[in-house]
Amino acid sequence: PKTKLLKLKLEELDLKNVLILVDDLDKNIYLSSRNLAGVEVKSVNTVDPVSLIGNDKVLATFGALKRLEEALS
């Protein structure tokens, strides 16, 4: 749950303006990302089209992709 660790990982992946999509919003990921500019965290339940197209990249967990796929089918 450290902002520094998340920032290092995002830099390693070359992600600047990114939406992190998770299956269940975790307190640690929220706390780690809230002070990072250009980083938005949303759960599958709260994601909206504006968030999806408003960011350059989307980083999603496997569980989030499965839940999104189920919701759209």
Side-chain angles (χ1 to χ4, degrees), residues 34-72:
R34 69 181 174 173
N35 292 326
L36 294 175
V39 177
E40 185 178 1
V41 177
K42 292 212 177 227
S43 71
V44 173
N45 297 336
T46 61
V47 72
D48 56 283
V50 174
S51 295
L52 289 171
I53 62 171
N55 292 286
D56 295 338
K57 305 274 180 154
V58 176
L59 178 66
T61 64
F62 184 74
L65 286 177
K66 284 291 188 189
R67 287 186 60 193
L68 190 60
E69 185 178 77
E70 289 171 3
L72 295 174

Side-chain angles (χ1 to χ4, degrees), residues 26-37:
D26 182 69
K27 180 181 178 182
N28 290 333
I29 190 74
Y30 170 73
L31 293 175
S32 297
S33 67
R34 69 181 174 173
N35 292 326
L36 294 175

